[in-house]
Amino acid sequence: MNLGVVGAGTMGRGIAQVAMTNSCKVVLFDRSEDALETTKVEHKNILDRLIKKGKLQGTSQDYLQNITYTQSLKDFEHVDFLIEAIVEDFAIKKELFQSLENIVATDAILATNTSSLSIASIASALKNPSRCLGVHFFNPAPIMPLVEVIPAVQTSDSVFNHVYETLTSWNKIAVKAKDTPGFIVNRVARPFYGEALRILEEGIADVPTIDWAMTSIGKFRMGPFQLMDFIGNDVNYTVTETVFQSFYNDPRYKPSFTQKRLAEAGYLGRKSGKGYYDYDNFSSNPKPTKDETLGHHILNRILVMLINEAADALYLNIASAKDIDLAMEKGVNYPKGLLKWANQKGITWCKERMDDLYNTYHEDRYRCSAILRKYSAENLQFPV
Ligand code: NAD
């Protein structure tokens, strides 16, 4: 297979690495010479490291001979499959896809790695939109096994199937997601941040205590505030705001002023040295209050909101129950799939916790998904 990758940034260089280490010929384009030069050096260093660790056989040259770095789109003439990973801007992506359509073969597949744009809108830029779809990798692409594959309304079944099989052959875990805001992961994960922020804003617990509850009791790899600082408060806030606006201001996804102010202040997290935590003087950060009762209250409240979101995604056929659970386990390392977790906690328990929250706040944000009510009434389990 001949793969084309447009954009040698964070995602494009990772996707190119995945393909070249899986026996594909890769053409990697960037308009910036600097980006290509940095990528070349990075690829060689990573390959050498993987070979030294015994994770890859042979020499780095064996893999590097599979890749061409270019500043000319014309070099995409012979690709069968192309993945775009440039700046998240609809007008720029649209112009790129229109140029590409005049270069690649008529049956080449054109995919976008967009996180937030609709795949249908990108496909509509093409004369033949049936060959376009979304392939959403997670960062870092060579390490995170999940790829969400998103057919647009225009995408042909054969294009979807071909891409799904290709990704599987690269040892990726491919899940099929509907073309809706945030696809699976960026939609279902919203309450992990949003409900933690709400608990903080209400003064129920402070930042380290919420993180302690989620990691020590909940077994999440990182707490919500640790993770927001890791992702960057600017980036995480923008994703939340985009999802909120795309869902016509559904209060379930409402962004938080706490996070907005941190982003405005330049307290972006690890990358700026300060966010919810101070990274330059880490020992000065407050310690968690290790109160088990409070910890379980925090965990259960965030967990049930996550479960409600996952259940609603299933209810609205965003993906299958199995794929929703796989996506959260393999895309963001959740300790357990949320629907499996719901089965274990009890569907009626989940429904009752959502109703408790709704009865307390009378806010639409806490509405219980219809599927939790139905499964509780009929004593059903999620098919995971
Ligand atoms: P990035 O800024 O790291 O890299 C983008 C690259 O594209 C840069 O090297 C830039 O020179 C190049 N570029 C910009 N405009 C171009 C153009 N018109 N033509 C050709 N090259 C151009 O961006 P990224 O973080 O790799 O994100 C790329 C895409 O992947 C975006 O759509 C983003 O939403 C999506 N995405 C990002 C992540 C993430 O965690 N960073 C995760 C999943 C998906």
Side-chain angles (χ1 to χ4, degrees):
M1 132 113 36
N2 288 311
L3 178 78
V5 179
V6 195
T10 309
M11 297 309 292
R13 62 180 67 164
I15 295 167
Q17 184 193 323
V18 170
M20 75 169 142
T21 52
N22 281 285
S23 311
C24 285
K25 293 272 178 220
V26 182
V27 177
L28 175 59
F29 167 92
D30 205 293
R31 57 182 182 177
S32 147
E33 196 179 341
D34 274 1
L36 290 175
E37 284 307 316
T38 314
T39 304
K40 256 188 218 176
V41 174
E42 197 176 277
H43 277 160
K44 169 133 186 22
N45 290 342
I46 292 173
L47 290 167
D48 283 339
R49 214 165 46 234
L50 291 172
I51 290 161
K52 206 168 162 193
K53 282 189 185 166
K55 295 196 172 165
L56 284 177
Q57 310 301 315
T59 66
S60 54
Q61 207 40 48
D62 297 341
Y63 299 97
L64 291 170
Q65 70 187 10
N66 287 341
I67 187 166
T68 311
Y69 302 91
T70 184
Q71 284 181 277
S72 167
L73 287 178
K74 290 225 161 47
D75 288 338
F76 287 134
E77 214 178 1
H78 300 297
V79 301
D80 318 295
F81 178 25
L82 182 142
I83 302 175
E84 165 277 313
I86 63 165
V87 61
E88 189 76 335
D89 180 307
F90 177 65
I92 298 176
K93 287 196 198 278
K94 183 176 171 185
E95 197 187 323
L96 172 75
F97 274 92
Q98 285 173 338
S99 314
L100 288 170
E101 201 170 31
N102 295 322
I103 295 165
V104 299
T106 50
D107 58 353
I109 295 173
L110 298 173
T112 172
N113 188 48
T114 182
S115 300
S116 63
L117 300 168
S118 103
I119 311 300
S121 67
I122 293 174
S124 74
L126 298 173
K127 288 184 214 124
N128 173 11
S130 73
R131 56 154 135 179
C132 183
L133 81 174
V135 288
H136 187 228
F137 284 79
F138 288 76
N139 185 18
I143 293 174
M144 299 307 286
L146 188 77
V147 184
E148 294 174 326
V149 189
I150 309 116
V153 284
Q154 303 101 314
T155 312
S156 77
D157 288 347
S158 64
V159 164
F160 173 85
N161 291 336
H162 187 71
V163 169
Y164 191 95
E165 280 159 24
T166 301
L167 292 166
T168 309
S169 76
W170 294 350
N171 292 317
K172 288 295 176 192
I173 295 175
V175 292
K176 182 179 182 181
K178 215 179 207 176
D179 184 13
T180 48
F183 312 128
I184 305 171
V185 170
N186 280 338
R187 172 196 193 127
V188 174
R190 291 322 333 134
F192 190 66
Y193 316 106
E195 207 49 28
L197 282 157
R198 176 69 186 252
I199 290 169
L200 175 72
E201 285 168 355
E202 282 187 37
I204 294 169
D206 63 6
V207 163
T209 304
I210 299 169
D211 279 347
W212 164 78
M214 298 309 285
T215 53
S216 284
I217 307 178
K219 306 290 176 220
F220 283 83
R221 204 168 284 187
M222 288 174 100
F225 297 99
Q226 293 163 335
L227 189 51
M228 284 185 273
D229 272 359
F230 182 76
I231 294 168
N233 284 306
D234 50 343
V235 174
N236 189 261
Y237 178 81
T238 304
V239 175
T240 306
E241 194 177 48
T242 307
V243 171
F244 176 61
Q245 285 166 357
S246 308
F247 277 109
Y248 311 105
N249 297 3
D250 185 330
R252 273 220 311 255
Y253 309 109
K254 195 164 145 189
S256 143
F257 283 117
T258 301
Q259 189 172 30
K260 185 163 200 236
R261 294 293 178 264
L262 286 199
E264 288 167 347
Y267 294 174
L268 307 182
R270 280 175 188 258
K271 63 186 172 187
S272 70
K274 191 174 166 67
Y276 294 104
Y277 295 95
D278 185 339
Y279 294 89
D280 294 332
N281 188 7
F282 205 80
S283 59
S284 69
N285 290 310
K287 301 281 174 284
T289 306
K290 295 184 180 177
D291 173 330
E292 291 282 328
T293 311
L294 175 63
H296 278 99
H297 170 74
I298 293 165
L299 169 64
N300 284 340
R301 178 161 164 179
I302 297 174
L303 178 60
V304 82
M305 287 291 280
L306 285 167
I307 287 173
N308 192 53
E309 196 59 49
D312 214 51
L314 176 66
Y315 181 57
L316 297 172
N317 287 305
I318 304 307
S320 70
K322 279 198 174 63
D323 279 1
I324 291 172
D325 270 12
L326 259 182
M328 303 316 286
E329 283 178 89
K330 305 295 180 189
V332 272
N333 287 322
Y334 279 16
K336 218 181 284 182
L338 292 166
L339 298 173
K340 183 176 176 199
W341 216 332
N343 286 342
Q344 290 173 353
K345 284 283 197 184
I347 308 291
T348 301
W349 180 90
C350 298
K351 183 205 78 166
E352 286 174 353
R353 295 295 74 72
M354 285 307 298
D355 283 347
D356 288 347
L357 285 166
Y358 187 83
N359 290 336
T360 304
Y361 295 105
H362 288 248
E363 286 177 49
D364 205 30
R365 169 188 177 87
Y366 296 109
R367 66 188 187 274
C368 177
S369 172
I371 200 169
L372 285 177
R373 290 195 191 290
K374 176 180 158 63
Y375 276 43
S376 166
E378 296 175 15
N379 209 9
L380 297 171
Q381 294 259 303
F382 288 118
V384 287

